[in-house]
Amino acid sequence: MHKSTLEQWAILEKVVEVGSFAKAAEMLHRSQSSVSYNLSLLQERLGVTLLAPLGRRAVLTPAGEQLLSRVSPLLKAFSYIEMRAANLQDGERVRLNLVVDGIYPRGRLFAILRKFQQHYPRVQVQLTEVLESTTQSSEAFAEADILIVTRRHDVTGRGEWLMNIDFIAVAHSEHPLLCTEEPLTEDLLGLYPLIRIADSGALSQSAGDAWTFSTVDAAIEAIMSQVGYGWLPEEHIRAQLNHGELKTLPLSHGVRRATPLHLIVKQQLTPPDEPVSFFLSLLKE
């Protein structure tokens, strides 16, 4: 049996926040004697003095500060649980499942998520990052409310073109391909690994043809480490390009490539609810 309750700790937190028993009682809609009794009982059962008078205010003792700092995250978590329960009772959406291709610009994605969280703080987001070759039958695809993917025809739902992702051929500034005066022919490129972004089991390739990495970040790191060269999403490497760490390969053609991303909404969400509609509007801004 626990010696204290969350209610007692919540009362203590409120007293410390407002500085007096009377104000805390008013805000908690209970009598001042009830506040005093609960805090006296809490301190008695713990055997520790948690509060001390300082002028007209009630402040935490060092022991009180230490203990309340440990309990505060529990109080926030409990409030969140109650908030989610209220959402469930009202039939409101409590989670938004997203599947997003790894080539989608990270900065743009997190800016959208921040705006969404500010507008719908009660809705939890489940984000799964995938690559073009990820199997469409995975659980994440089956549960997704919104998908941002490259292969539109593989996914069932209401979809439309969203944007093109520009890929650019690059290598590290000190890579031999950028130190030669010879034209970058296919034979010269073939001397070094081509760094590909794809699921490790998706592509069959001969030895020396390409090195495959399962994430965009890993492919970028490989090229930054002079393992090879490759086409990378320009938005993901803008900082490295600006700092001169990565440089564009002077190819005679094919320096840039574009991959379309499609925005797909689960068929069952027609018409979409308010959180989904708001998220879609952010994506299209």
Side-chain angles (χ1 to χ4, degrees):
M1 190 73 177
H2 297 297
K3 295 181 179 180
S4 61
T5 66
L6 284 174
E7 181 182 20
Q8 290 170 336
W9 287 106
I11 292 173
L12 174 64
E13 187 177 56
K14 182 60 67 176
V15 168
V16 173
E17 178 187 332
V18 300
S20 76
F21 284 50
K23 290 181 180 178
E26 181 180 352
M27 297 186 68
L28 294 172
H29 305 290
R30 53 169 72 222
S31 66
Q32 185 173 340
S33 60
S34 172
V35 170
S36 299
Y37 171 76
N38 274 280
L39 293 186
S40 296
L41 188 61
L42 174 62
Q43 295 177 97
E44 178 184 336
R45 288 182 173 177
L46 294 177
V48 177
T49 300
L50 303 174
L51 285 170
L54 181 63
R56 295 184 177 181
R57 293 181 61 84
V59 298
L60 289 170
T61 64
E65 288 183 4
Q66 183 178 355
L67 293 175
L68 186 57
S69 67
R70 298 292 185 90
V71 175
S72 290
L74 297 177
L75 294 174
K76 291 179 181 178
F78 194 74
S79 296
Y80 178 72
I81 290 172
E82 291 187 334
M83 179 180 66
R84 286 181 60 80
N87 280 12
L88 290 170
Q89 184 178 21
D90 296 338
E92 297 178 12
R93 173 179 291 277
V94 295
R95 188 168 77 172
L96 181 64
N97 294 318
L98 306 176
V99 168
V100 180
D101 196 290
I103 66 175
Y104 188 87
R106 288 278 181 84
R108 186 178 305 183
L109 176 61
F110 291 132
I112 289 172
L113 291 174
R114 181 173 64 252
K115 289 181 180 179
F116 182 81
Q117 191 279 328
Q118 292 169 348
H119 204 83
Y120 290 99
R122 296 184 178 184
V123 179
Q124 180 185 15
V125 172
Q126 178 71 41
L127 173 64
T128 301
E129 192 174 69
V130 299
L131 289 172
E132 180 178 5
S133 54
T134 302
T135 174
Q136 310 294 325
S137 60
S138 67
E139 183 179 351
F141 277 84
E143 296 182 353
D145 299 307
I146 298 174
L147 303 97
I148 302 174
V149 291
T150 55
R151 298 192 292 187
R152 164 70 185 92
H153 61 280
D154 287 344
V155 183
T156 301
R158 183 169 57 85
E160 61 185 87
W161 174 87
L162 178 62
M163 64 188 301
N164 285 334
I165 299 296
D166 292 325
F167 284 71
I168 185 169
V170 296
H172 190 273
S173 59
E174 298 179 0
H175 192 277
L177 287 173
L178 289 168
C179 299
T180 181
E181 296 181 358
E182 299 180 41
L184 295 186
T185 63
E186 291 295 329
D187 289 339
L188 186 55
L189 291 172
L191 296 176
Y192 305 97
L194 167 63
I195 304 301
R196 277 179 171 167
I197 305 168
D199 184 73
S200 57
L203 298 175
S204 59
Q205 58 198 46
S206 59
D209 176 33
W211 290 23
T212 304
F213 291 82
S214 61
T215 67
V216 175
D217 290 340
I220 293 174
E221 188 67 25
I223 293 179
M224 286 290 294
S225 301
Q226 302 188 50
V227 173
Y229 72 97
W231 280 259
L232 295 175
E234 189 173 11
E235 285 286 338
H236 284 67
I237 58 171
R238 191 170 299 281
Q240 293 92 327
L241 289 170
N242 291 339
H243 294 153
E245 298 171 290
L246 292 178
K247 290 188 176 180
T248 305
L249 290 175
L251 304 176
S252 59
H253 66 280
V255 174
R256 288 182 172 273
R257 300 173 178 176
T259 297
L261 283 178
H262 298 90
L263 175 60
I264 301 173
V265 181
K266 184 189 292 185
Q267 280 186 333
Q268 292 88 330
L269 295 177
T270 305
D273 53 45
E274 288 187 8
V276 170
S277 295
F278 182 72
F279 196 90
L280 294 176
S281 69
L282 294 177
L283 288 170
K284 296 175 183 179
E285 284 183 353

